[in-house]
Amino acid sequence: MSRFETVIGIEVHVELSTNTKMFCGCSNRFGAPPNTNTCPVCLGLPGSLPVVNEQAVRDAMKIGIALNCEVARSCLFHRKNYFYPDMPKDFQISQYDEPICFGGYLDVEGGRVGITRAHMEEDTGKSTHIGEGGRIHDATHSLIDYNRAGVPLIEIVSEPDITGPAHARAYATELRNVLRSLSVSDVKMEEGSMRCDANISLREPGGEFGTKVEIKNMNSLRSLQKALEYEEARQAELLESGKSVTQETRHWNEADGETHSMRSKEEAFDYRYFPEPDLVPQAPPLSLIEEIRSSMPELPASRRARLAEDWALTDQQIFTLTSVDGLLDLVSDAVERGTDPVTATNWATGDVLAKLKTDGVDADQSGLNGHKLADLCELVANGTLSTKLAKQVLITVMETGKGPGEVVEEEGLAQVSDESELAAIAEKIVNDNPGEAERYRAGEEKLLGFFVGQAMKATRGKGNPQALNELFRSKLSE
Amino acid sequence: MSASTAAAIARSIREGQTTATEVVEAHLAEIERTDGDVRAFLEVLGGTALEQAKAVDAGEVTGPLAGVPIAIKDVLCMEGIATTCGSKILEGWRPPYTATAVRRLVEAGAIPIGKTNMDEFAMGSSTENSAFGPTLNPWSTGHVPGGSSGGSAAAVAAGHAPVSLGSDTGGSIRQPASLCGVVGMKPTYGRVSRYGLVAFASSLDQIGPFSHTVEDAAIVYAAMAGHDPMDSTSLPESVGDPVGAIGRGIEGIRFGVVTELAGDAIEPEVAAAFASAIEGLGAGEVSLPSFDHALSAYYLIAPAEASSNLARFDGVRYGLRIDAADTTAMMRRTREAGFGPEVKRRIMLGTYALSAGYYDAYYGQAQRVRTLVANDFGRAFEDFDILLSPTSPTTAFEIGERTADPLAMYLSDLCTIPANLAGIPAISIPAGVDSRGLPIGLQLMAPALEEERLFAAAAELETRIGFDAKPALTGGAE
């Protein structure tokens, strides 16, 4: 570990999942054919004018409240001016010195992180560079899709309170959990609906802030941490060897695991911010702020406290349940149908999650729901299925969407618990294996497993193991 | 046709004395005969105008302006019709939508008969900054018609259309109205939707009418004013009955002359005509000291907003594109080739005024002056109901006279700029001619939203002045 103290601040851009874009009525749907979700306003055609999306303003306030921010009674939009082909007006409507939310915090593992501000802005379009390497420098031409232009964004800026890469990841993870609980965004880093930029600098413990470097292009929480770890080490090495850190923006390259210089401070833009004259100040009435405040959903922190208290789950279980989309809903629904919370959670965080990961789908895309999970647990509890068979049934349920009962029926998986049927089987096995029976009777008790195994084989795994244990024990002691 | 008013034309069509087709044909013939002398039009919409006339004659379209030809400044978007803003940079662009103001007029029965010439992006006071050559003053073709809406002013003065639309950012309707001997009116900021008006300076731009009479101005204004959800700066207040205000007279109205707008800068002949026009009104005097700085403030605010509004003309999506090796070079070359010198000058000025380190001294200071101007108006309107001044310090100047001296050109708007900075309504009416036979204009200004009072007072002065001079155009020029 180096002798320096790490200082990190994170800017997160979140695409809101409103029905329409920030300043026009175009659909805000991801994945439509290029340039189909466009109109004169989001294409920035001459003479077009922006109109603020009320839902986006409400979502912004919701986010601010969830992050313990103050919601401004009046806020302004500004124009951020710079030339960029992705940006139809060659300026971005954003917020500057009067954001809608400011002065909050988020408690995360590793310590509280201050939230400087959460402000509203519009997204840009997306370029595809056609040519050799798919990079702008060797492209023969570029294609622009303006479907994303004008999509509502919330930029959440943290204070430089983050003390290291792991803390940064914890912050981004918890922020994602909070945003997900608000149902305001898909918050998918791979799809770009949540994007993290980080500022990192090193300093002597307790000393003045060092020169900061901004890093971009981290497409997962894991790469956020990796990029910061790389950058932390790079800066420490520079400082240790008496060199200085250059203030610049660096690009994280996932492939080589390094950051690369994009532009230095000298090349930084002068954005010439000024109040957007086409929009009037936003002044949400107090009643609206109160309405939103009183209808806030349960946030992850209080949900975790509730789960620990009511369901007696471990921290790790709670963390998993609340970090993966839909998992908690699944368990909650099962518990509502009478399943024991710990049992349902064990299934959800174990086999269910493993299968979801293997298939690369979200919980709500699989064939399983809370109802079916409850049924499955019941089939195990009443002895119809062994745990082993239940795992097999679960896979089929998740793949086909069929009910567990139906799967058991179709595949004939019900456990054989019928005494007389099992007794007959046991009888036959004991008779067929006199040598082993003799040895057992002579005290080699571990051979019980052999007999049960033979019986399972004979029932193609459907024999009730407990019942078979009992049967063999009594039969062999006869 | 040139003497006919919109009110008279609509009436005679309604009463069956003539048809819309006859009216449109007569105006098209007049354009054919004399527009070679004036060059008011960039495009004559003969085909669509005759189609619309047929619809009026078939009774399919009714409304207060049914069958009335109207000329449209080429800064207003009309679906499928080339809109150039007097600039090469919009070459080939046909908007996919129609400006709210134009749509409302068409719904009221008005028939767009052509798109009129203007200073490029409405920047200028003589229409000499058009990329397509200057418009000439119908009263004397060696003189300018004023600007930037010179084409629309000249079209009405020449009898090419009884009414027309212009846009007024610092006087671009009132000043050319004054120089062309017609009525020109700028509504309260926010009264007429700016949706579809290609922006010059968003916080100052307003669409307004040109006409021969105050009544016609009120009719056109009434047809297009009122709240538009597509323009966030559009005012929700009721428009009232501006046409009904004509004939209410001036009883009880207290007139005040702004001394800062009637001093040494005013040409003696203009000052004399102004004095004689307001004789018998019992007008008092009011000094509004902040007006001495209004021109400077305007020439920071308007260019600042313009520098941002005009950024989108970059060759990426529409209009002119000059190809180059990379996108940045393409944008630079396109803008270099596409914009004229005055537009470039203002983009430079505005960019500078918004730059880091200069913002507060220039843009910030200008906004403070703007507040002072509004406060001064507020004070003056405590003692007076209507404020008076000459519209333009001089009558029409010669073609080329001020092109080499931007500052002399900027002074043309001395008297008109304060109303834009404060967002109040103002109107220019003809008040006589100078010794060379060139028209002189009188400006009336009213408090925000008091258009009814403005029209009532202007109509009364119009009657008292009894201006009946007409330009004599021989026709025959190319």
Side-chain angles (χ1 to χ4, degrees):
Chain A
M1 212 44 223
S2 81
R3 63 187 172 89
F4 299 104
E5 210 171 77
T6 302
V7 178
I8 297 170
I10 294 184
E11 289 172 17
V12 174
H13 287 85
V14 185
E15 280 184 356
L16 295 180
S17 46
T18 48
N19 291 329
T20 56
K21 292 188 180 180
M22 187 69 220
F23 299 113
C24 66
C26 283
S27 164
N28 176 22
R29 190 168 58 85
F30 182 78
N35 295 309
T36 52
N37 291 343
T38 56
C39 75
V41 177
C42 58
L43 286 176
L45 294 188
S48 66
L49 295 170
V51 176
V52 175
N53 180 339
E54 292 300 330
Q55 185 58 48
V57 176
R58 294 176 74 110
D59 288 354
M61 291 194 277
K62 226 169 155 181
I63 292 171
I65 291 167
L67 298 176
N68 307 293
C69 287
E70 199 166 314
V71 178
R73 294 302 316 284
S74 176
C75 68
L76 270 186
F77 283 101
H78 271 66
R79 288 189 186 175
K80 182 179 183 181
N81 295 285
Y82 60 104
F83 284 91
Y84 206 70
D86 288 358
M87 207 165 50
K89 302 183 293 290
D90 286 300
F91 63 78
Q92 180 191 29
I93 305 178
S94 182
Q95 294 196 291
Y96 184 52
D97 53 0
E98 295 186 39
I100 184 157
C101 302
F102 56 93
Y105 61 86
L106 185 63
D107 285 323
V108 307
E109 208 174 318
R112 173 172 291 189
V113 176
I115 306 288
T116 314
R117 54 191 282 153
H119 75 241
M120 301 178 277
E121 59 186 31
E122 56 177 340
D123 211 343
T124 62
K126 227 172 178 172
S127 292
T128 311
H129 304 295
I130 311 293
E132 292 290 303
R135 301 267 307 178
I136 194 160
H137 305 291
D138 42 30
T140 56
H141 62 286
S142 301
L143 299 173
I144 311 177
D145 177 6
Y146 289 109
N147 281 349
R148 202 181 67 177
V151 163
L153 285 183
I154 303 296
E155 180 176 334
I156 300 160
V157 183
S158 87
E159 292 286 310
D161 291 346
I162 299 166
T163 54
H167 193 200
R169 181 173 182 170
Y171 166 74
T173 305
E174 179 65 358
L175 184 59
R176 192 184 62 174
N177 291 341
V178 168
L179 295 167
R180 187 179 288 138
S181 74
L182 299 174
S183 308
V184 292
S185 169
D186 295 338
V187 282
K188 288 184 181 157
M189 285 184 78
E190 331 75 63
E191 283 181 13
S193 55
M194 175 170 162
R195 310 196 275 271
C196 297
D197 300 333
N199 283 295
I200 174 169
S201 62
L202 303 187
R203 66 174 171 186
E204 302 286 342
E208 301 261 303
F209 284 131
T211 305
K212 69 178 177 186
V213 166
E214 184 181 19
I215 44 176
K216 289 177 172 288
N217 194 44
M218 289 80 79
N219 295 325
S220 66
L221 294 168
R222 193 173 134 271
S223 63
L224 170 72
Q225 184 172 353
K226 277 174 63 188
L228 284 167
E229 281 165 354
Y230 174 85
E231 190 57 24
E232 188 179 48
R234 189 187 70 89
Q235 291 186 18
E237 200 177 305
L238 281 173
L239 296 173
E240 294 283 9
S241 59
K243 294 183 188 142
S244 60
V245 173
T246 310
Q247 185 173 342
E248 62 184 348
T249 300
R250 296 178 72 88
H251 195 265
W252 167 249
N253 185 329
E254 188 76 50
D256 66 13
E258 292 176 7
T259 62
H260 300 275
S261 182
M262 271 172 83
R263 60 174 174 263
S264 71
K265 191 195 174 194
E266 286 70 36
E267 297 167 78
F269 297 114
D270 175 359
Y271 292 119
R272 292 174 284 118
Y273 279 100
F274 74 104
E276 165 58 280
D278 286 328
L279 292 171
V280 291
Q282 296 292 303
L286 207 55
S287 59
L288 178 62
I289 301 174
E290 284 316 311
E291 182 205 312
I292 292 170
R293 198 183 291 280
S294 64
S295 59
M296 291 290 283
E298 184 181 37
L299 296 176
S302 60
R303 183 186 298 155
R304 285 194 295 266
R306 181 171 60 81
L307 295 179
E309 168 121 10
D310 296 358
W311 291 359
L313 301 180
T314 66
D315 284 354
Q316 185 53 45
Q317 284 175 318
I318 292 169
F319 177 80
T320 309
L321 268 194
T322 52
S323 302
V324 180
D325 255 345
L327 228 44
L328 180 58
D329 286 342
L330 188 71
V331 173
S332 298
D333 290 351
V335 169
E336 213 164 276
R337 290 177 179 273
T339 309
D340 165 58
V342 175
T343 306
T345 300
N346 284 337
W347 278 106
T349 58
D351 290 83
V352 173
L353 184 57
K355 173 72 176 158
L356 290 175
K357 281 186 175 160
T358 310
D359 295 352
V361 296
D362 288 339
D364 59 359
Q365 293 170 299
S366 93
L368 186 68
N369 61 25
H371 188 170
K372 292 171 195 167
L373 180 59
D375 286 352
L376 187 73
C377 293
E378 176 57 26
L379 289 172
V380 175
N382 68 19
T384 308
L385 286 178
S386 64
T387 305
K388 193 173 157 223
L389 279 178
K391 289 180 181 209
Q392 200 179 317
V393 171
L394 175 73
I395 303 274
T396 311
V397 169
M398 290 179 75
E399 283 173 355
T400 64
K402 288 177 182 164
E406 195 185 346
V407 175
V408 168
E409 184 93 355
E410 278 180 12
E411 301 188 6
L413 292 175
Q415 199 161 244
V416 179
S417 304
D418 180 44
E419 285 275 347
S420 57
E421 196 178 328
L422 291 180
I425 292 166
E427 176 99 46
K428 187 171 182 298
I429 291 169
V430 172
N431 293 338
D432 288 354
N433 297 281
E436 281 79 3
E438 199 54 41
R439 280 159 61 198
Y440 178 87
R441 291 194 178 105
E444 208 176 323
E445 289 196 357
K446 67 171 199 253
L447 277 170
L448 184 64
F450 163 78
F451 287 104
V452 173
Q454 290 296 310
M456 291 303 276
K457 208 168 171 184
T459 56
R460 300 206 333 276
K462 294 182 291 183
N464 182 328
Q466 271 93 43
L468 286 169
N469 267 326
E470 289 307 309
L471 268 172
F472 280 111
R473 218 176 253 130
S474 64
K475 224 170 242 325
L476 290 167
S477 59
E478 275 166 6
Chain B
M1 293 304 303
S2 66
S4 272
T5 64
I9 290 169
R11 196 181 316 114
S12 46
I13 293 172
R14 263 197 309 275
E15 292 171 358
Q17 289 144 13
T18 184
T19 65
T21 304
E22 281 171 4
V23 169
V24 168
E25 280 172 349
H27 282 90
L28 288 173
E30 192 63 15
I31 293 170
E32 178 72 20
R33 188 178 77 85
T34 61
D35 197 45
D37 295 336
V38 180
R39 298 180 221 154
F41 288 91
L42 291 174
E43 184 179 0
V44 178
L45 304 171
T48 52
L50 284 168
E51 270 173 42
Q52 284 164 278
K54 265 188 211 147
V56 170
D57 290 334
E60 290 160 19
V61 180
T62 54
L65 287 162
V68 175
I70 186 164
I72 310 288
K73 185 179 184 180
D74 205 25
V75 72
L76 288 155
C77 292
M78 289 173 66
E79 188 180 340
I81 293 169
T83 298
T84 68
C85 299
S87 181
K88 277 191 289 195
I89 208 157
L90 271 168
E91 192 178 270
W93 185 59
R94 291 172 188 272
Y97 71 108
T98 297
T100 301
V102 176
R103 182 174 54 73
R104 288 183 179 176
L105 284 166
V106 169
E107 282 164 9
I111 298 176
I113 198 165
K115 302 292 295 280
T116 59
N117 197 16
M118 56 186 284
D119 284 305
E120 186 175 4
F121 287 105
M123 298 175 187
S125 307
S126 68
T127 316
E128 290 166 293
N129 294 334
S130 168
F132 307 103
T135 293
L136 311 174
N137 194 316
W139 294 76
S140 162
T141 53
H143 289 77
V144 302
S148 65
S149 315
S152 281
V156 170
H160 295 157
V163 288
S164 64
L165 287 190
S167 63
D168 191 317
T169 305
S172 278
I173 292 174
R174 290 159 289 156
Q175 185 260 9
S178 173
L179 269 51
C180 288
V182 296
V183 174
M185 186 256 179
K186 180 199 92 73
T188 302
Y189 181 79
R191 272 295 206 196
V192 177
S193 168
R194 292 184 293 115
Y195 192 74
L197 167 71
V198 181
F200 161 16
S202 312
S203 74
L204 299 160
D205 297 342
Q206 262 296 284
I207 298 166
F210 288 96
S211 59
H212 288 291
T213 64
V214 174
E215 184 188 17
D216 274 6
I219 292 170
V220 173
Y221 162 75
M224 63 181 172
H227 183 251
D228 175 14
M230 297 298 280
D231 176 358
S232 307
T233 63
S234 160
L235 297 170
E237 283 85 354
S238 155
V239 176
D241 183 13
V243 183
I246 308 291
R248 273 184 209 163
I250 55 168
E251 207 179 290
I253 289 186
R254 299 163 299 168
F255 289 94
V257 174
V258 183
T259 53
E260 280 75 10
L261 306 183
D264 293 344
I266 310 298
E267 238 174 30
E269 284 197 80
V270 173
F274 173 69
S276 130
I278 66 167
E279 229 175 61
L281 294 178
E285 279 194 353
V286 58
S287 170
L288 304 175
S290 70
F291 284 23
D292 287 341
H293 310 292
L295 195 75
S296 318
Y298 172 86
Y299 276 100
L300 288 167
I301 293 167
E305 292 181 10
S307 70
S308 172
N309 284 330
L310 270 58
R312 71 191 68 191
F313 303 105
D314 59 9
V316 173
R317 289 157 300 274
Y318 45 78
L320 184 73
R321 174 187 291 178
I322 308 291
D323 277 319
D326 61 71
T327 314
T328 308
M330 183 277 285
M331 288 179 169
R332 194 179 293 128
R333 289 183 62 190
T334 299
R335 291 167 67 79
E336 196 178 317
F339 289 135
E342 182 61 26
V343 171
K344 286 178 187 160
R345 178 155 39 236
R346 298 207 196 184
I347 289 173
M348 295 293 290
L349 202 62
T351 303
Y352 190 76
L354 291 174
S355 295
Y358 298 99
Y359 179 92
D360 201 58
Y362 293 108
Y363 189 76
Q365 186 70 5
Q367 289 293 5
R368 286 186 281 277
V369 169
R370 186 172 187 174
T371 304
L372 292 178
V373 169
N375 292 346
D376 266 2
F377 267 122
R379 215 160 39 75
F381 283 126
E382 284 172 15
D383 298 325
F384 301 101
D385 304 305
I386 293 282
L387 295 176
L388 299 166
S389 79
T391 307
S392 164
T394 69
T395 53
F397 39 93
E398 285 174 24
I399 300 278
E401 188 183 324
R402 295 186 189 173
T403 43
D405 185 353
L407 289 181
M409 189 71 92
Y410 294 173
L411 280 171
S412 307
D413 297 326
L414 179 75
C415 302
T416 46
I417 279 171
N420 296 89
L421 289 178
I424 62 168
I427 191 169
S428 176
I429 61 171
V433 292
D434 70 5
S435 53
R436 293 167 297 176
L438 294 170
I440 294 166
L442 161 69
Q443 175 176 238
L444 295 87
M445 294 170 276
L449 301 174
E450 296 290 350
E451 276 87 358
E452 286 189 27
R453 185 194 302 169
L454 185 71
F455 283 123
E460 174 66 22
L461 259 71
E462 177 183 48
T463 307
R464 291 187 182 204
I465 293 165
F467 181 81
D468 59 0
K470 303 243 171 317
L473 283 167
T474 51
E478 283 180 12

